[in-house]
Amino acid sequence: MSPTEITVNGTTRPCEAGPHTSLLDWLRDQGWTGAKEGCAEGECGACAVLVARPDGPERTRWVSVNACLPPALSYDGQEVITAEGLGPPTAPGQQAALHPVQREMADRGGSQCGYCTPGFVCAMAAEFYRPERDGRTPQDPAEHDHECGPNGFDLHALSGNLCRCTGYRPIRDAAYALGDPDPADPIAGRRDSAAPPARATEISGAGSTFVRPADLPDLLTRLAATPDAVLVAGATDAGVERNLRHTRPPVVLGIDRVEELRELQLTDETVEIGAALTLSEIERSLAGRVPLLDQLFPQFASRLIRNGATLGGNLGTGSPIGDAAPVLLALEAALVLASTGGEREVALADYFTGYRQSVRQPGELIKGVRIPLPLAPHTAFHKIAKRRFDDISSVAIAIALRLEGDTVASVRIGLGGVAATPVRALATEEALTGSAWDADTVARAAGVLAREGTPLDDHRASARYRSAMLEQSLLRFFDEQGRAKPLPKDGEGVRDLYENAGEER
């Protein structure tokens, strides 16, 4: 194998990191100290950097990630930009030039103590270079969305960055003052060529081994040999375990660039999503084709996390408070499990067997998620948490409803945070199915929903509060939907959304 190396701010350096060294620690060891550790769990953004990701076969997209979470070796052969590398290069002895993001932050008072500023700058730069933002025609500031500026800047790009002293108004002002990248900007120009390809990596040290397999057969062979290996894509969970609980598994398998796990396919019967696609990639690729997922994405942690997190990881941990599971339960999704012995499909409703336990066998991994079509036309995802964004759910409820006239033809309700596993609200589904879709039916069913699961008292919420939120979620759904229009002619209206069905993405 080739020597491990990472290109940082345009310079390629050998990467002699250990299997459990984070990208942040390696960058700081190399002298790039702008990125800092704040929370060590991906919630403050002080460690944010830019990384080059594929944006189709011949283009690159700059995305921001939390450097404190992924192993440095996950970026073997890849390109990273820190806050120090954003400004244009200058001759020796000359004062460093500021990048437009840095200049606006300085001019508009967006930095005081400066601890969080490099992370803000990197997250802001990722949005600055987002292709969909380029060339946007400025609008009347009085007319723009309160969370999207007249320059097209999506303020949610900064949802994972915290500042404790500046206050957010000057930071927002800096974001909304940005124009488009200069045509001569080398970082912008880098988007017009392919991202670095993945390459196989294997490094051992301090009793542990990090492996990035060459392909899926290689991955499955290694997993069969070491079934206790930890699978890492964005490391949004494994990185926290390493940083806060000091876990050091003997074998780590990096699967974020295994192409067979990164496919997205649309057919007339299913939407199939690869387990290693990030949530941001899924959102862009589906482009609204699964409305219930579109409701999930903005509420799933932060943009920094969604740029690394995957459905495979969120489901693979078996957490009862993962936000993806309730949505996928409502969508009647199934998981494709793969091993050296072949593949099998398991309904997500049958996947979880206990707290952080599942039917997945040693040597098996989640290859993809299959969502059957057509979709129910009336959906909602309600996340109850102490913060509006970037928080863990106290309760999560997903609902997918299909009507025939004024009668409930079918309904699927997925719940998180109210039992040892994500669960379907089967009793509530039974109470609604075949009944009139009216206030009396919904009120009775809401009482049933309040008794679903086995909610507990903990530091996030009491059992009584969780039960109340279950009841209110169905009442809220009825209020939001009103007398929802029936689906015309057995799904034709929804199926029309899939005009590109059959294409592989």
Side-chain angles (χ1 to χ4, degrees), residues 99-245:
H99 184 274
V101 169
Q102 296 167 326
R103 184 177 61 249
E104 293 295 347
M105 285 283 280
D107 289 349
R108 297 173 189 276
S111 177
Q112 284 190 24
C113 82
Y115 193 91
C116 69
T117 304
F120 265 101
V121 164
C122 285
M124 197 178 293
E127 178 65 8
F128 176 70
Y129 289 117
R130 180 168 62 89
E132 296 83 0
R133 196 194 70 85
D134 287 7
R136 179 185 170 96
T137 302
Q139 300 174 356
D140 181 347
E143 296 179 356
H144 69 71
D145 186 291
H146 73 288
E147 291 174 339
C148 185
N151 59 350
F153 191 100
D154 181 3
L155 207 58
H156 286 284
L158 307 181
S159 64
N161 295 83
L162 299 182
C163 175
R164 297 187 181 276
C165 58
T166 302
Y168 294 100
R169 185 193 54 76
I171 296 172
R172 182 198 62 189
D173 291 347
Y176 287 177
L178 291 166
D180 292 336
D182 190 290
D185 184 335
I187 301 176
R190 176 67 183 83
R191 300 176 301 178
D192 296 329
S193 55
R199 63 184 186 188
T201 304
E202 184 167 354
I203 297 293
S204 296
S208 297
T209 299
F210 175 90
V211 179
R212 177 193 278 167
D215 50 29
L216 183 60
D218 184 19
L219 168 59
L220 295 177
T221 298
R222 292 177 182 272
L223 187 59
T226 55
D228 293 332
V230 171
L231 304 178
V232 169
T236 56
D237 186 78
V240 175
E241 293 290 320
R242 179 196 64 230
N243 292 341
L244 301 187
R245 295 186 174 86

Side-chain angles (χ1 to χ4, degrees), residues 436-474:
W437 179 244
D438 58 27
D440 290 339
T441 298
V442 172
R444 288 193 297 271
V448 176
L449 186 55
R451 299 189 293 273
E452 297 271 18
T454 54
L456 302 174
D457 294 324
D458 63 19
H459 64 285
R460 293 192 183 92
S462 66
R464 183 180 178 185
Y465 178 80
R466 287 186 162 100
S467 294
M469 290 303 97
L470 292 177
E471 181 176 17
Q472 291 300 312
S473 68
L474 188 57

Side-chain angles (χ1 to χ4, degrees), residues 8 10 62 87 152 233 273 276 311 325 372:
V8 183
W62 292 107
I273 303 169
L311 289 181

Side-chain angles (χ1 to χ4, degrees), residues 42-43 45 48-51 53 61-66 69 122-133 147-148 152-161 236 278-281 283-284 296-310 389-391:
E43 291 195 359
V49 298
L50 293 175
V51 298
R53 292 270 177 80
R61 180 180 291 259
W62 292 107
V63 302
S64 53
V65 299
N66 293 294
L69 297 176
C122 285
M124 197 178 293
E127 178 65 8
F128 176 70
Y129 289 117
R130 180 168 62 89
E132 296 83 0
R133 196 194 70 85
E147 291 174 339
C148 185
F153 191 100
D154 181 3
L155 207 58
H156 286 284
L158 307 181
S159 64
N161 295 83
T236 56
T278 69
L279 299 187
S280 295
E281 290 171 329
E283 183 177 18
R284 287 196 303 271
L296 163 70
F297 293 135
Q299 300 182 69
F300 192 111
S302 66
R303 181 75 58 82
L304 286 166
I305 291 294
R306 294 196 298 274
N307 286 340
T310 65
F389 299 109
D390 199 12
D391 200 3

Side-chain angles (χ1 to χ4, degrees), residues 267-291:
T267 70
D268 288 335
E269 290 78 31
T270 62
V271 175
E272 184 161 343
I273 303 169
L277 282 169
T278 69
L279 299 187
S280 295
E281 290 171 329
I282 298 168
E283 183 177 18
R284 287 196 303 271
S285 297
L286 287 178
R289 290 182 174 89
V290 182

